[in-house]
């Protein structure tokens, strides 16, 4: 059981699946809340504090992808795990581009589901800010600045960036990143998802800072 009861909003219109996931989350010690559509999800997000949103892509009153995009435009850094019955690669990229932190295709195992939930709720390491190449990451406020200007990053991008900066000048393997960001053993993760997040980070903070070390992983360089 988890020591602190995190609140989770589950936005899913399939009543059978929603009930099953709700029960599983309760058994794990979380405090789940549910919404069958985007309107009620927005109402709950406006009045309650959550640590995670689990968001279905196809909902009766609109697209979960568009809703995720809207939340990010509003400045929300709330971790978002998207669920969909569609496993085409372009749909996965659309979800990640919209600001989702992770993406699961139905059907999925409960072990995988809980692994993703734990990973999204996991907090980073120490609280001292980390710096490099004009980029500053505040681990307490969970903010990123580049040359003094605030940069919006998703929670997953934040974890990747803080990990690379904590080990700047050193090679961080892909497996090490996956292990820190998702599951302790790096299970259930599509390696392509990491590549998408790295690409988005490069667009935001400068491509030259994150160097690909082929066959190994990535290295942060202050000077570009």
């Amino acid at each position: 059981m988890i020591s602190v009861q995190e609140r989770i909003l589950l936005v899913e219109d399939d009543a059978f699946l929603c009930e099953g996931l709700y029960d599983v989350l309760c058994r794990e010690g979380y405090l789940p809340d549910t919404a069958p559509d985007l309107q009620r999800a927005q109402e709950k997000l406006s009045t309650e504090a959550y640590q995670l949103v689990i968001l279905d892509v196809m909902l009766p009153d609109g697209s979960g992808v568009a809703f995720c995009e809207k939340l990010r435009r509003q400045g929300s850094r709330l971790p978002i795990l998207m669920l969909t019955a569609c496993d085409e690669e372009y749909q996965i990229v659309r979800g990640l581009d919209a600001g989702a932190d992770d993406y699961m295709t139905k059907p999925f195992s409960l072990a995988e589901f809980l692994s993703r939930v734990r990973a999204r709720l996991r907090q980073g390491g120490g609280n001292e800010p980390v710096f490099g190449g004009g980029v500053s990451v505040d681990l307490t406020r969970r903010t990123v600045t580049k040359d003094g200007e605030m940069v919006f990053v998703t929670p997953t991008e934040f974890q990747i960036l803080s990990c690379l900066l904590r080990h700047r000048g050193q090679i961080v393997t892909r497996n090490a990143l996956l292990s820190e960001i998702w599951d302790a053993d790096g299970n259930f993760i599509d390696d392509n998802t990491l590549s998408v997040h790295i690409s988005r980070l490069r667009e935001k903070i400068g491509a030259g800072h994150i160097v690909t070390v082929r066959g190994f992983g990535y290295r942060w360089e202050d000077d570009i």
Side-chain angles (χ1 to χ4, degrees):
M1 299 285 284
I2 54 178
S3 57
V4 178
Q5 290 188 301
E6 291 98 340
R7 299 199 64 193
I8 298 172
L9 178 60
L10 173 59
V11 188
E12 171 61 65
D13 65 319
D14 183 325
F16 181 77
L17 176 61
C18 187
E19 182 178 355
L21 295 180
Y22 178 89
D23 288 344
V24 167
L25 291 169
C26 285
R27 286 200 301 269
E28 290 295 308
Y30 299 109
L31 293 175
D33 200 358
T34 64
D37 53 44
L38 296 176
Q39 179 179 342
R40 271 169 281 194
Q42 183 63 68
E43 291 170 358
K44 288 177 182 290
L45 286 169
S46 299
T47 58
E48 304 290 341
Y50 297 98
Q51 283 70 56
L52 172 66
V53 175
I54 301 170
L55 178 63
D56 191 23
V57 167
M58 299 298 293
L59 291 156
D61 55 348
S63 161
V65 172
F67 186 69
C68 177
E69 214 164 26
K70 174 185 173 184
L71 291 177
R72 295 306 187 217
R73 284 199 307 269
Q74 293 173 344
S76 172
R77 288 179 167 79
L78 193 61
I80 297 174
L81 169 62
M82 300 199 79
L83 307 178
T84 182
C86 181
D87 63 356
E88 281 110 344
E89 184 178 357
Y90 82 93
Q91 288 280 21
I92 296 174
V93 173
R94 279 189 63 219
L96 295 173
D97 278 349
D101 299 284
D102 205 355
Y103 204 99
M104 294 187 68
T105 56
K106 307 170 187 176
F108 46 78
S109 73
L110 292 180
E112 177 181 359
F113 172 73
L114 290 173
S115 174
R116 302 286 184 107
V117 168
R118 286 192 298 269
R120 297 279 53 82
L121 290 168
R122 184 181 299 141
Q123 297 297 315
N127 294 323
E128 290 300 316
V130 288
F131 306 90
V135 176
S136 174
V137 175
D138 188 319
L139 299 173
T140 300
R141 295 184 176 88
R142 299 187 72 78
T143 57
V144 175
T145 58
K146 168 69 173 174
D147 297 328
E149 297 290 326
M150 194 72 72
V151 177
F152 173 79
V153 296
T154 67
T156 298
E157 291 168 349
F158 182 91
Q159 287 181 284
I160 293 171
L161 183 58
S162 60
C163 181
L164 290 172
L165 275 170
R166 288 199 308 271
H167 301 90
R168 62 185 184 274
Q170 305 171 22
I171 296 174
V172 180
T173 66
R174 293 180 71 87
N175 284 340
L177 273 174
L178 292 173
S179 177
E180 173 155 337
I181 297 164
W182 283 280
D183 183 74
D185 298 318
N187 293 327
F188 314 125
I189 302 305
D190 182 351
D191 197 53
N192 290 331
T193 303
L194 175 60
S195 297
V196 172
H197 285 301
I198 290 288
S199 176
R200 299 295 170 261
L201 261 180
R202 283 171 166 156
E203 292 175 3
K204 295 176 180 181
I205 51 86
H209 286 304
I210 302 176
V211 177
T212 299
V213 182
R214 296 197 179 280
F216 292 95
Y218 303 96
R219 184 181 64 248
W220 177 272
E221 294 288 352
D222 288 347
D223 299 323
I224 58 175

